[in-house]
Amino acid sequence: VHPEAHSKGIGRRLLKRAEELARARGAVSMTLNTATTNRRALRLFEPAGYLGVVTLPGNYARGQSAVAMFKPL
């Protein structure tokens, strides 16, 4: 979501819609990765039910780590 549109619920709506579409196509879970330092993303994903399952050291450029997250649908 573009920075000018932050804090307007757009990310939550997009995430919810992606989950609905995945569920409609038979998916039973969702996974995603985000940087461990991306607090904004973590504040979106964690309340939506995503659980951090593993840290991926050096997953991004400049050695930045990621967290893999999982949610049953």
Side-chain angles (χ1 to χ4, degrees):
V1 175
H2 192 278
E4 292 178 10
H6 285 178
S7 300
K8 294 185 170 128
I10 296 169
R12 276 190 309 280
R13 290 193 305 270
L14 289 170
L15 185 60
K16 181 179 178 184
R17 184 65 178 142
E19 292 170 355
E20 290 168 352
L21 291 171
R23 198 175 293 113
R25 288 175 171 82
V28 295
S29 65
M30 297 277 287
T31 59
L32 56 86
N33 293 357
T34 191
T36 56
T37 56
N38 190 342
R39 300 291 172 222
R40 183 176 293 276
L42 293 170
R43 284 193 308 266
L44 171 65
F45 300 137
E46 289 171 347
Y50 287 81
L51 302 173
V53 292
V54 66
T55 299
L56 307 167
N59 193 63
Y60 291 115
R62 290 179 250 141
Q64 189 175 24
S65 296
V67 59
M69 303 185 86
F70 170 84
K71 177 182 178 177
L73 295 177

